[in-house]
Amino acid sequence: RDHTSMKIHEYQAKEILKKYGVAVPDGIAATTVEEAVEAAKTMEANGSSLFVVKAQIHAGGRGKGRTKKNNAKGVILCKSVDEVKAAAESLLGDVLVTIQTGEEGQLVQRLYVTDGVDIEKEFYLGILLD
């Protein structure tokens, strides 16, 4: 029996959920600082005033993790486009170490810039197919 795993990033999971009518905060994936800034500007034009810049690696604990070079958290709350730029600069190209990556960490090559929302209740979902 072939046991393969499917690893998708948060931005990909949210695209799937959105496709099936689940309400998810707006977000745009970015692979460069410039793309992250443009994403924030687009969201700002649509009424957003709070942004979250999230490292996209295949590991949990990103918000509590830290990058090796810049000591940046893997999830950064930003109140302006300039703060999004600084967050993107601190994450892209650095290695994020979390409780799930081990000391070697994972290289941050993609970010997810999302609309900052006031979270009242948070749920986590896991599915195992056998």
Side-chain angles (χ1 to χ4, degrees), residues 2-60:
D2 182 19
H3 292 284
T4 58
S5 63
M6 177 178 76
K7 291 185 177 185
I8 61 174
H9 291 294
E10 176 185 3
Y11 78 95
Q12 294 166 314
K14 285 186 175 175
E15 286 173 2
I16 293 167
L17 290 170
K18 195 173 188 176
K19 180 179 172 183
Y20 289 96
V22 177
V24 296
D26 285 337
I28 300 170
T31 57
T32 65
V33 172
E34 294 75 22
E35 286 177 359
V37 167
E38 285 307 309
K41 286 179 178 177
T42 298
M43 286 187 281
E44 187 176 54
N46 291 331
S48 296
S49 58
L50 193 61
F51 314 94
V52 184
V53 178
K54 302 178 175 188
Q56 296 296 283
I57 63 169
H58 289 125

